Amino acid sequence: MQSKDTQNKGTENKDMSLTKVQIVIKVILLVLLSIGLYGALSVSYLTVTGIAPCPSVAKLPACFIVTIGYFLMLVATFFHNKLNNKLNAKWLFIVGWSPVVLLALVGSLLELSQGDICPKSSMGIALCYVSLSFAIMVAALFWLLNKMSPFIK
């Protein structure tokens, strides 16, 4: 039979490993969101300068909406577990993520069906495909981060 101290050390080790995993997930998520924000800012810059304008949604360039979305997701992830309520971070993430994934999904479908809808990367890849894959990855990682949080003190 294990003593109470031995049981507590086992629980502490389990909590520590979960904390390390949570930190790794958060770092990966922050890196992905930073890359997404940089990409959205780059396309927004090209739109502002008139070099390569992105499509508009209700007279607002879609890349501006995506930039704001990535920024909100980044803030929600950065302040995850630091906001007054974890629910605030979830809602902030959802508010940022929803237009990003919706625009990426619609853009990807239009790109597949009509072609030449989305801005292209230097390698010729439609950026709506990249944004859609990023949006799916970051949603999965943010969900995982939230699932792990209740177990960490």
Side-chain angles (χ1 to χ4, degrees):
M1 191 166 202
Q2 291 182 344
S3 71
K4 202 168 201 167
D5 288 338
T6 308
Q7 289 175 346
N8 286 343
K9 285 182 183 180
T11 304
E12 286 175 16
N13 287 340
K14 187 176 181 182
D15 287 344
M16 288 298 288
S17 66
L18 284 175
T19 303
K20 289 177 185 176
V21 171
Q22 186 181 24
I23 290 169
V24 168
I25 291 169
K26 192 169 188 174
V27 167
I28 292 168
L29 190 52
L30 288 170
V31 167
L32 287 175
L33 289 170
S34 296
I35 292 168
L37 180 60
Y38 175 77
L41 282 169
S42 299
V43 175
S44 294
Y45 174 77
L46 295 174
T47 297
V48 168
T49 58
I51 295 171
C54 64
S56 293
V57 176
K59 297 184 181 180
L60 184 66
C63 50
F64 293 1
I65 298 167
V66 171
T67 299
I68 293 167
Y70 273 111
F71 178 75
L72 292 174
M73 289 186 281
L74 188 66
V75 169
T77 302
F78 187 75
F79 290 110
H80 183 264
N81 287 344
K82 291 182 179 129
L83 292 174
N84 295 341
N85 183 339
K86 194 170 69 172
L87 188 61
N88 292 338
K90 285 181 188 177
W91 279 110
L92 189 60
F93 188 89
I94 290 169
V95 166
W97 182 80
S98 297
V100 170
V101 76
L102 186 62
L103 286 169
L105 184 61
V106 169
S108 295
L109 291 172
L110 288 173
E111 184 72 26
L112 285 171
S113 64
Q114 297 175 8
D116 203 29
I117 298 292
C118 301
K120 307 281 189 278
S121 72
S122 58
M123 297 184 336
I125 299 170
L127 293 178
C128 49
Y129 299 153
V130 175
S131 191
L132 183 60
S133 63
F134 264 64
I136 291 168
M137 282 190 292
V138 298
L141 288 170
F142 193 80
W143 176 82
L144 186 59
L145 187 65
N146 276 305
K147 280 295 187 187
M148 294 178 75
S149 293
F151 301 110
I152 298 171
K153 296 178 182 175

